[in-house]
Amino acid sequence: MRPVVLLLALFAGPAAADAPDLAPGVPELLGAESRLDALLDTAQATGRATARLQAAWTRLPKPKTPCADAERVALGWRIERFGSAWREASQAARAQADRVRRIRAAPTVAPLVDARWTARLDAQLAEADDAGLGLLEASAWEASFVRPTLAACPAATLVNTPGIPMLETPVRGEHEAYVAILALGDGWVCPGAARAEEAVVLVPGRACWSASPTCGCTPETVDPGAILGPPVP
């Protein structure tokens, strides 16, 4: 598995190296493909977390007044945070997919893309095209059921909270899926020492919060949608 990925780093925008797109070669296509792969991982992980949190919302009883259940309000804010990260990742993935298509079609690149590489790129591009379908449905559900509560209630203070576990069957040949968590506080998420700072972070299934980048903590299993921050006294 690749190292821990900090979500915000994926949306830094086109690099100055985009100039070679005018006459791209294999290195430019490889780089664009790698970035698209990372964005798809992010969209998948944040989408999985958002879906699980939304499912958890449907299992909570509806209170008599919107703000009566503090746990429900806090869950709504978690849905909002992960849903926003999912939208950003999906939009970035679709934009990057367009760039991959442009580079692959360039006369300096097209003759060099063999059948195996074509199949791999086609699968990535199809995944990018599909990334927005589930998002549209989830966004419509959130607008109907969650945001009215958030609009009526004070913003919840988010604290360390477990994610939503679900049984999933690994697919042979696929790398272990990343887990999207929300990292709080002035610290680092380990392993990998990714900065927390109220960001959605991808981790390889086990993580811990450290006050320093030396990662003097013991990673534990985390589930999608978890909130990880400094230990609470």
Side-chain angles (χ1 to χ4, degrees), residues 173-185:
E174 290 189 358
H175 64 69
E176 183 182 356
Y178 284 115
V179 173
I181 66 171
L182 178 60
L184 304 178

Side-chain angles (χ1 to χ4, degrees), residues 32 47 170 210 220:
S210 174
E220 298 181 353

Side-chain angles (χ1 to χ4, degrees), residues 198-215:
E198 318 297 315
V200 173
V201 175
L202 305 190
V203 299
R206 296 177 65 85
C208 59
W209 189 95
S210 174
S212 74
T214 58
C215 288

Side-chain angles (χ1 to χ4, degrees), residues 211-232:
S212 74
T214 58
C215 288
C217 60
T218 303
E220 298 181 353
T221 299
V222 291
D223 291 305
I227 301 178
L228 190 63
V232 179

Side-chain angles (χ1 to χ4, degrees), residues 57 60 66-81 146-161 182 184 198 227:
W57 173 280
L60 292 177
C67 310
D69 187 344
E71 178 186 356
R72 188 169 182 265
V73 175
L75 179 58
W77 282 107
R78 287 164 71 193
I79 293 172
E80 180 74 12
R81 293 294 296 273
V146 177
R147 286 186 180 163
T149 295
L150 301 186
C153 304
T157 299
L158 300 181
V159 297
N160 293 350
T161 312
L182 178 60
L184 304 178
E198 318 297 315
I227 301 178

Side-chain angles (χ1 to χ4, degrees), residues 91-182:
Q91 291 168 1
R94 292 196 295 274
Q96 183 65 13
D98 289 340
R99 181 166 181 259
V100 168
R101 289 188 177 95
R102 289 196 303 271
I103 296 176
R104 183 173 69 169
T108 52
V109 176
L112 306 176
V113 181
D114 61 16
R116 180 177 297 182
W117 197 358
T118 294
R120 190 174 73 218
L121 290 173
D122 285 346
Q124 283 186 317
L125 295 172
E127 185 178 348
D129 290 340
D130 292 341
L133 300 180
L135 174 62
L136 289 175
E137 182 178 350
S139 296
W141 182 92
E142 183 178 340
S144 297
F145 297 101
V146 177
R147 286 186 180 163
T149 295
L150 301 186
C153 304
T157 299
L158 300 181
V159 297
N160 293 350
T161 312
I164 311 297
M166 295 181 90
L167 294 177
E168 291 184 334
T169 303
V171 178
R172 178 177 296 180
E174 290 189 358
H175 64 69
E176 183 182 356
Y178 284 115
V179 173
I181 66 171
L182 178 60

